[in-house]
Amino acid sequence: MPALDLTATSADLTRTICDIPSVSGDEKVLADLIHEAVSALPHLDVFRDGDTIVARTSQGRAQRVAIAGHIDTVPINANVPTRDLDLEGEQYIWGRGTVDMKAGVAVQLKLAAELVAPRVDITWMWYDHEEVDADLNGLTRLARTRPDLFQADFAILGEPSNGEVEGGCNGNLRAIVRTHGVRSHSARAWIGENAIHKAAPVLTRLAEYRPRDIAVEGLVYREGLNAVRIGGGVAGNVIPDLCEIEVNYRFAPSRDAAEAEQHVRDVFSGFDVDVVDLAVGARPGLDAPLAQEFVAAVGAEPRPKYGWTDVARFSALGVPAVNYGPGDPHLAHHDEERVPIAQIEAVERGLRAWLTSS
């Protein structure tokens, strides 16, 4: 595998790193190449933890900014290697990871190499296992082993945001709602109790649920509560004694973990509810001076982030954080994932201008 050429354009770097498969759990090859490339840069102090690489400037600046991006992707579905597309006169790079979020990582790598003396000190973070369970996330691991590396006055996560600034993020909760019955032969159904039939009220509550729009520090976050998986049944001639509905609750960053969990339990009052995953959101953080300078410099109108992102990890540590990266979030994980080259270049210009302005 050839070395990464950090003198290439950010678009070419995007093509290169997207063509290196790095589905969650298989990031080592790409992590090795990133580690090799940034370790050769004398202005950066480099630290590695598993397949997470951190590179820091140490210029003695009064302020420090953390800029992070994950290097893993969801599974490939015949969309690697990348290819160039022309859609109605706009040039795109198509392929897995172009949106989520290797175009953002490519911009970061190029700037990490070129910004030898930025106006603030920078901590660059490229991490593994973002697309899977939170306990595997490279930032989670790094926070345990080197919490000092998270010290910053402001953080930027390169999640796809259409080149706009998206403040904070919604929280994310997953729960299993269970209904119970009694098994019997299906020819004598009256002897048993059908757990799948008992799930009907759960689905009715979900169908009738009306999500709320909640304003938090000037940004309006839309909540959502949806069934994402359902399972039950034993055999073709058995009345089932168990049905499980997995629900996903996206909640505004005004709610803490306890409030989010209680809301779900209230909605499904009377049923067996087991919360299996819970990550609180992040408030916008746009009142921080560095955040305001950043928004003004890139000329963006801040928007809310509806999905959960790792800005929440920085927010939990008291570091205000925003999402800023190329790519349409609607195309993340899509088989037609593609990023406009002009957007990659615009994000690079925005970050470069802000990090080098006096």
Side-chain angles (χ1 to χ4, degrees), residues 12-302:
D12 282 342
L13 268 173
T14 298
R15 295 181 184 95
T16 298
I17 63 177
C18 286
D19 287 344
I20 301 169
S22 59
V23 175
S24 303
D26 191 27
E27 298 97 328
K28 186 178 185 302
V29 171
L30 181 54
D32 287 347
L33 290 171
I34 292 173
H35 184 245
E36 178 185 14
V38 297
S39 293
L41 301 171
H43 64 283
L44 294 176
D45 299 321
V46 179
F47 171 80
R48 181 168 182 171
D49 183 288
D51 289 330
T52 290
I53 295 96
V54 178
R56 291 160 50 94
T57 65
S58 299
Q59 304 278 331
R61 307 299 195 214
Q63 294 173 305
R64 178 171 291 277
V65 173
I67 302 179
H70 65 82
I71 63 173
D72 62 322
T73 72
V74 296
I76 294 166
N77 189 23
N79 48 5
V80 166
T82 57
R83 66 173 186 261
D84 286 4
L85 294 177
D86 182 323
L87 298 177
E88 298 180 350
E90 185 162 17
Q91 304 301 310
Y92 290 81
I93 303 172
W94 172 97
R96 175 63 77 227
T98 51
V99 171
D100 194 8
M101 53 168 285
K102 288 183 174 179
V105 168
V107 169
Q108 294 169 5
L109 286 168
K110 182 169 181 61
L111 293 179
E114 295 181 358
L115 301 186
V116 176
R119 73 180 186 93
V120 292
D121 271 317
I122 306 173
T123 300
W124 303 97
M125 295 177 162
W126 301 288
Y127 61 101
D128 58 291
H129 284 89
E130 190 272 347
E131 298 290 5
V132 289
D133 289 348
D135 59 344
L136 298 174
N137 188 294
L139 292 186
T140 300
R141 186 178 64 251
L142 193 65
R144 289 194 301 264
T145 59
R146 289 292 304 272
D148 57 298
L149 294 178
F150 287 81
Q151 294 177 4
D153 300 286
F154 180 52
I156 300 169
L157 193 67
E159 286 284 354
S161 64
N162 266 324
E164 301 291 340
V165 175
E166 294 184 334
C169 67
N170 272 334
N172 184 30
L173 179 152
R174 289 188 301 113
I176 306 297
V177 182
R178 296 185 177 90
T179 56
H180 302 273
V182 177
R183 289 191 194 187
S184 73
H185 196 296
S186 60
R188 303 171 186 82
W190 61 88
I191 303 298
E193 296 179 13
N194 194 312
I196 293 178
H197 294 181
K198 288 184 177 183
V202 175
L203 298 178
T204 297
R205 293 184 194 184
L206 283 165
E208 294 178 348
Y209 184 86
R210 294 295 174 263
R212 299 196 305 163
D213 291 343
I214 299 178
V216 181
E217 298 173 10
L219 299 183
V220 178
Y221 295 83
R222 184 172 178 80
E223 296 195 325
L225 181 65
N226 292 279
V228 293
R229 187 179 294 121
I230 187 168
V234 180
N237 59 354
V238 177
I239 298 300
D241 59 344
L242 176 66
C243 182
E244 295 183 330
I245 302 106
E246 182 176 343
V247 297
N248 181 220
Y249 179 40
R250 300 289 177 151
F251 57 95
S254 55
R255 295 186 192 265
D256 62 21
E259 291 169 334
E261 179 173 345
Q262 188 59 53
H263 179 70
V264 171
R265 293 191 183 280
D266 289 344
V267 171
F268 300 109
S269 177
F271 291 94
D272 176 6
V273 178
D274 182 17
V275 174
V276 296
D277 190 31
L278 176 55
V280 296
R283 302 183 78 88
L286 295 170
D287 54 347
L290 272 177
Q292 293 175 0
E293 292 175 17
F294 171 67
V295 170
V298 300
E301 181 70 28

